Amino acid sequence: MKTKIILALTTVAFALTAHAAQDPVPEIIFVPDNAQVVEAENKWFGGFELEANISGSTLLDISEQAKAFYTDKGFELSQEQADDDDIELLFVKEQESVEVDIELEHNDIIEYSVDYETK
């Protein structure tokens, strides 16, 4: 009985710790509807990092959604690099920048990452 209680408490503590490691995603960060957030954290010096996995979409679709989101927020697309399995976007606005990396991984999973910085 004692072992079961300890195991249950350990499981609950682990779940709470894992959940606590995910910081709330600020409104300035675009997260596609079908994204599964893997990591979301505030940076020590300001800004935010997000990493997510996406299935059932294409690199181009996610890229177009990110472009629309950030231009609606007043950002300008400063750089864009694309090839068959990776799209990198850089948006800037005054003292803010957003780097978006959309990369095709194994099993048609797309790794989506955002790095938001303030200067």
Side-chain angles (χ1 to χ4, degrees):
M1 178 70 171
K2 199 181 233 183
T3 305
K4 288 182 181 180
I5 292 172
I6 291 172
L7 180 61
L9 290 173
T10 303
T11 303
V12 168
F14 178 74
L16 289 174
T17 303
H19 181 66
Q22 299 284 330
D23 289 331
V25 179
E27 290 182 16
I28 196 69
I29 303 297
F30 171 68
V31 182
D33 290 335
N34 54 342
Q36 179 183 6
V37 175
V38 174
E39 183 178 342
E41 65 181 356
N42 289 302
K43 295 181 179 183
W44 287 97
F45 53 87
F48 196 84
E49 290 182 351
L50 176 122
E51 184 177 315
N53 291 329
I54 303 168
S55 58
S57 195
T58 67
L59 296 177
L60 187 56
D61 286 343
I62 297 166
S63 173
E64 292 302 317
Q65 291 173 24
K67 287 177 190 177
F69 179 86
Y70 287 109
T71 55
D72 284 351
K73 296 275 186 190
F75 285 85
E76 182 180 313
L77 180 61
S78 174
Q79 282 184 310
E80 179 175 8
Q81 287 184 286
D83 59 34
D84 291 341
D85 61 356
D86 185 55
I87 297 175
E88 296 176 15
L89 307 169
L90 175 63
F91 300 92
V92 293
K93 178 174 86 171
E94 297 172 6
Q95 299 296 314
E96 300 171 281
S97 68
V98 179
E99 292 180 40
V100 176
D101 188 28
I102 310 161
E103 187 173 349
L104 185 60
E105 295 290 323
H106 55 80
N107 299 326
D108 294 328
I109 299 294
I110 295 172
E111 183 180 283
Y112 174 80
S113 61
V114 178
D115 185 7
Y116 169 71
E117 294 185 1
T118 58
K119 299 173 184 167

